[in-house]
Amino acid sequence: MEEKRSPYLKHITVCTHEREAGKSCCAHRDGEKILEKLKAYVQEHGLKGKARVNRSGCMDLCEQGANVMVAPDHRWYSGVTVESAEQIIEEHLKPLVPGTGGSGAAAPGTIKAFLFDLGNVLVRFDHMAAARKITQGTGAAPEKLFEMFFESPLVVEHDTGRISTRQFYEEVSRQIGMRLPYERFLEVWNDIFVVDEAMNRLVERLLQEFPCYLISNTNRPHFEYLRTLCPVLERLNGWILSYEVGHLKPNPVIYHRALEIARLKPSEIFYVDDRDDLIQAAHSMGFQTHRFGGFEGLAADLAARGLPNGQ
Ligand code: FES
């Protein structure tokens, strides 16, 4: 047996089973049409590779058909019709479409606070640049170090605060044969960020009317460095940082910490992040969300919701 990570963010199964004449079944309650409707949405919105829709056999709830299950959201819909399948699309598939931002978790006008991701939202970064500098003259492949910077077990340990930065440095040195002194390593390793000025202005504008918080998978040296580079961080109402919480997004623990700090319900918070899987996780908890693809898209989404957009 071989185990692989599933590429799908959503896996929807629709019962289309047909039972003998006279018995209730999903086949006689438009199971096929519902299946086709969901598949058509995936196809038409370019979601192949993100979402998969399959037919299934009997789910043993034949009297309540048509039945649809959505993983990994632990949702089971019964009595689904072709019309009500729209709700499944709205809740589980639409948030995966780039630019839609997963709106629909709550009505516009209920937003009481904003929650921003840091990397590739408030600041852009280039890990490959650091990997090249760090491996310069060592004979080590920058690609190997680059891989370590993206959720390798070592980075997870560091970003959840389970190992110190010194231990992280020593392990990186050992694994790739790096010979940089610790202080120089920190300098190079931090020198990968560029502030997104438009986004920082937007946050400043939002702060005039709303509390704004930061939620980030990060580590202490990066964050301390970014506080000096990105002054708006000091003006935020709170920071939810993986290395302090001990968990990375999309672990629900870190989102719950944000709710505790903000003292709000998920539906009252507008969350902005650039990663689909993180948006998905927060959306299924009830946050209002925007999948960040650039300032323009976010500004348009905010304007459509009647919120200040910095323009
Ligand atoms: S036929 Fe669909 S649940 Fe039995």
Side-chain angles (χ1 to χ4, degrees), residues 6 8-13 50-54 69-73 93:
S6 165
Y8 299 110
L9 297 169
K10 297 287 169 185
H11 201 147
I12 301 179
T13 46
K50 286 185 182 174
R52 187 165 179 88
V53 181
N54 286 115
M69 278 200 282
V70 184
D73 299 350
L93 294 176

Side-chain angles (χ1 to χ4, degrees), residues 91-225:
E91 188 160 338
H92 302 283
L93 294 176
K94 193 173 172 187
L96 303 181
V97 180
T100 60
S103 58
T110 60
I111 292 166
K112 294 183 179 169
F114 286 81
L115 183 61
F116 287 98
D117 176 34
L118 179 56
N120 282 336
V121 175
L122 300 185
V123 296
R124 294 186 293 279
F125 61 88
D126 183 358
H127 273 147
M128 196 62 195
R132 278 196 213 95
K133 281 189 211 168
I134 289 171
T135 52
Q136 225 164 36
T138 64
E143 290 76 14
K144 192 171 170 211
L145 186 59
F146 179 79
E147 275 174 32
M148 288 172 76
F149 285 155
F150 281 101
E151 296 192 4
S152 68
L154 188 61
V155 166
V156 171
E157 292 283 293
H158 189 214
D159 285 1
T160 51
R162 288 183 210 127
I163 59 170
S164 68
T165 301
R166 175 70 73 166
Q167 287 170 308
F168 176 71
Y169 157 79
E170 284 167 1
E171 193 52 30
V172 169
S173 303
R174 192 186 67 74
Q175 288 191 25
I176 68 157
M178 179 176 73
R179 292 191 291 270
L180 279 184
Y182 181 60
E183 295 306 327
R184 178 67 185 140
F185 167 75
L186 286 183
E187 252 173 56
V188 172
W189 191 50
N190 281 336
D191 189 23
I192 59 172
F193 298 103
V194 177
V195 173
D196 186 319
E197 299 292 350
M199 278 303 297
N200 278 251
R201 280 195 298 275
L202 171 59
V203 176
E204 290 282 5
R205 171 67 187 88
L206 290 170
L207 277 165
Q208 293 170 14
E209 293 182 43
F210 298 91
C212 294
Y213 300 87
L214 183 82
I215 186 165
S216 177
N217 289 348
T218 189
N219 49 74
R220 188 179 299 279
H222 272 169
F223 187 64
E224 291 303 328
Y225 174 75

Side-chain angles (χ1 to χ4, degrees), residues 5-10 50 72-73 95-96 151 217 248-251 255 271 273-284 289 291:
R5 188 178 164 84
S6 165
Y8 299 110
L9 297 169
K10 297 287 169 185
K50 286 185 182 174
D73 299 350
L96 303 181
E151 296 192 4
N217 289 348
L248 296 170
K249 295 178 288 181
N251 189 312
Y255 292 109
Y271 168 53
D273 205 303
D274 65 310
R275 274 175 49 183
D276 276 334
D277 58 329
L278 306 186
I279 283 296
Q280 203 43 49
H283 185 73
S284 58
T289 54
R291 215 278 295 163

